[in-house]
Amino acid sequence: MSFASSLVVSSNVEISPSSFGFLDSVRDGSQIPDSSRFFSRNRAAKMMKKRHKWGNYSHSSQLKYPVIAASMVVNPAGAMTVSSEQKVYDVVMKQAALVKRQLRTAGELDVKPDIVLPGTLSLLNEAYDRCGEVCAEYAKTFYLGTMLMTPERQKAIWAIYVWCRRTDELVDGPNASHITPSALDRWEARLEELFQGRPFDMLDAALADTVTKFPVDIQPFKDMIEGMRTDLRKSRYTNFDELYLYCYYVAGTVGLMSVPVMGIAPDSQASTESVYNAALALGIANQLTNILRDVGEDARRGRIYLPQDELAQAGISDDDIFAGRVTDKWRNFMKSQIKRARTFFDEAEKGVLELSNASRWPVWASLLLYRQILDEIEANDYNNFTKRAYVSKAKKMMALPMAYARSLLGPS
């Protein structure tokens, strides 16, 4: 998996070194899903009857995320193009600028008071409760970690998680074969309506309420949908620059959505940009880990989420992957990919310490557990074709107190 640094191209010309140096160091080493799938048919019917009661919600926009590298590259045709890092960097800087304007003098992100409209409070409570149930069902460890968060932040994180899961289900769920680009366009239009205070259903309403209380910007949400579009049209990645952008779309965006809700510790001396940089790094690390864990599963669907140029350099062909050949070449290749993913996890750790106290535990739990998946790939002798690397329940339980202990450590 090639690392998209600030300089490269296939017959590429180096234009400028990484502005931050992080990428350089790593490079070395159709139908919108029905919300009734997430709540009972009775509730779905009830919501459709009461949909007109949701009322309007205002929204504020803000966010901030990881600053990794900015650069220009020259493509084979000789034209200057913007690298993936530059594209992501631009989003990070915008989000950071938006959030800074919402910071209190004490350093905490401003949480706006509830906007209670006639007839909506009980429905909103029900919506948030359902989001919590979905989170508890599909992300048990993370859900447990949210128990330490304030009720406002807890509910907001649940709402964001559910939206992300529903979006992912578009291309990975049971109806994935029926999803078309126009279906994703409709999902994005629905997102825009939601941010304008016009939610479509119960689960949308929870997020619509969340964005009135926290400085959450729409751009990372739209970028995640773009990642789903990528899955519809692309099954190979030429180099890590391409893969990096995909990882940002489908996972790095989650960090940008979440930081405004989780908050930055009042005593943090870190820049807003650096905290977002770490949040982005965690998303990239998690997605790289997903990719390495699921090589065999993806291959059976005709997909290879590994940089083609690095595979070629390692002497590995697509046929080798489809045949599931675990050779010394493959083991050495996987070692370099795991090393890269761990470097992103290392970068992510720096930002967890800067989050508000009550928000650190779920993030540490996620980081430590996902990192262990890489250990399990190694334990399986790098056979990620027929053996699925997973963290046992016992190891998960041991990781929770460790994550809690680390969450007690604040900004250095």
Side-chain angles (χ1 to χ4, degrees):
M1 209 156 271
S2 144
F3 206 106
S5 177
S6 48
L7 5 142
V8 300
V9 204
S10 353
S11 11
N12 308 345
V13 179
E14 178 173 327
I15 300 300
S16 65
S18 163
S19 303
F20 299 89
F22 173 53
L23 289 182
D24 289 343
S25 64
V26 182
R27 185 184 51 189
D28 299 333
S30 100
Q31 177 181 348
I32 300 301
D34 188 347
S35 59
S36 62
R37 293 192 61 223
F38 295 99
F39 56 97
S40 70
R41 293 189 177 184
N42 289 338
R43 283 186 177 177
K46 176 181 176 183
M47 289 309 305
M48 295 310 293
K49 290 178 181 177
K50 296 186 178 180
R51 181 179 166 192
H52 67 282
K53 292 187 178 181
W54 285 120
N56 292 323
Y57 296 80
S58 63
H59 81 284
S60 62
S61 42
Q62 263 106 332
L63 227 359
K64 73 178 182 178
Y65 95 46
V67 180
I68 287 202
S71 65
M72 297 292 291
V73 296
V74 174
N75 63 22
M80 292 188 71
T81 60
V82 178
S83 71
S84 294
E85 288 84 8
Q86 178 67 59
K87 293 175 183 176
V88 176
Y89 171 83
D90 291 342
V91 178
V92 171
M93 295 304 291
K94 174 190 172 187
Q95 302 306 312
L98 290 170
V99 164
K100 281 179 179 177
R101 292 201 294 266
Q102 294 296 318
L103 292 175
R104 291 180 177 177
T105 55
E108 271 281 13
L109 289 170
D110 190 12
V111 179
K112 301 174 185 177
D114 288 346
I115 300 175
V116 182
L117 300 173
T120 64
L121 183 57
S122 62
L123 292 175
L124 277 175
N125 287 336
E126 186 177 0
Y128 278 121
D129 287 345
R130 185 55 194 143
C131 287
E133 291 169 10
V134 174
C135 188
E137 181 177 356
Y138 293 99
K140 296 178 176 64
T141 303
F142 182 78
Y143 173 80
L144 181 60
T146 65
M147 293 296 99
L148 288 183
M149 300 173 73
T150 63
E152 294 79 11
R153 296 183 191 281
Q154 185 183 76
K155 293 188 295 184
I157 285 295
W158 293 344
I160 290 172
Y161 170 83
V162 167
W163 185 89
C164 291
R165 181 168 183 83
R166 296 174 84 187
T167 302
D168 184 66
E169 286 281 297
L170 290 169
V171 296
D172 281 338
N175 295 319
S177 60
H178 303 294
I179 294 298
T180 64
S182 60
L184 292 176
D185 291 343
R186 292 195 296 275
W187 185 248
E188 183 168 351
R190 177 167 157 171
L191 172 71
E192 292 170 350
E193 289 288 301
L194 180 162
F195 266 77
Q196 292 297 324
R198 294 185 289 273
F200 181 80
D201 63 15
M202 169 187 278
L203 301 178
D204 279 357
L207 184 58
D209 185 60
T210 289
V211 303
T212 69
K213 299 174 180 177
F214 295 91
V216 179
D217 184 47
I218 195 173
Q219 190 60 51
F221 293 83
K222 298 181 78 166
D223 285 346
M224 179 173 278
I225 296 174
E226 185 59 32
M228 304 304 115
R229 292 191 180 99
T230 303
D231 269 330
L232 292 183
R233 64 174 183 263
K234 198 175 181 72
S235 61
R236 301 288 189 283
Y237 292 82
T238 304
N239 51 39
F240 191 80
D241 190 66
E242 289 186 3
L243 186 62
Y244 174 84
L245 186 60
Y246 172 75
C247 289
Y248 159 68
Y249 282 151
V250 301
T253 48
V254 178
L256 307 193
M257 299 171 191
S258 303
V259 172
V261 173
M262 292 188 165
I264 299 174
D267 55 340
S268 172
Q269 299 300 310
S271 68
T272 301
E273 292 85 357
S274 68
V275 177
Y276 270 91
N277 191 48
L280 173 64
L282 180 56
I284 300 294
N286 285 347
Q287 185 58 26
L288 290 177
T289 300
N290 283 337
I291 288 169
L292 299 180
R293 179 194 63 195
D294 298 338
V295 171
E297 180 181 328
D298 290 331
R300 287 187 283 277
R301 297 189 300 163
R303 296 180 175 276
I304 298 177
Y305 291 97
L306 299 167
Q308 292 289 302
D309 60 345
E310 293 188 15
L311 286 168
Q313 289 168 11
I316 299 169
S317 67
D318 287 1
D319 288 341
D320 291 330
I321 293 175
F322 292 137
R325 299 189 181 107
V326 182
T327 63
D328 286 341
K329 287 181 180 180
W330 177 254
R331 292 184 182 94
N332 290 331
F333 175 76
M334 285 303 301
K335 288 175 183 177
S336 67
Q337 306 309 304
I338 289 173
K339 180 179 179 181
R340 172 183 289 146
R342 284 177 173 149
T343 305
F344 275 101
F345 279 122
D346 290 343
E347 184 71 9
E349 286 191 12
K350 301 173 185 176
V352 184
L353 297 172
E354 310 300 332
L355 295 176
S356 63
N357 180 49
S359 299
R360 291 178 207 139
W361 190 24
V363 180
W364 271 121
S366 172
L367 190 156
L368 294 177
L369 289 172
Y370 250 81
R371 198 167 196 163
Q372 286 186 53
I373 293 174
L374 299 176
D375 300 336
E376 297 302 325
I377 294 174
E378 293 172 331
N380 287 340
D381 194 27
Y382 306 99
N383 180 2
N384 41 10
F385 297 112
T386 60
K387 294 182 179 180
R388 183 174 177 84
Y390 68 94
V391 181
S392 67
K393 185 173 294 186
K395 289 183 178 179
K396 286 182 180 180
M397 294 308 295
M398 288 191 294
L400 288 177
M402 184 184 301
Y404 180 73
R406 293 199 182 191
S407 73
L408 299 178
L409 300 175
S412 55

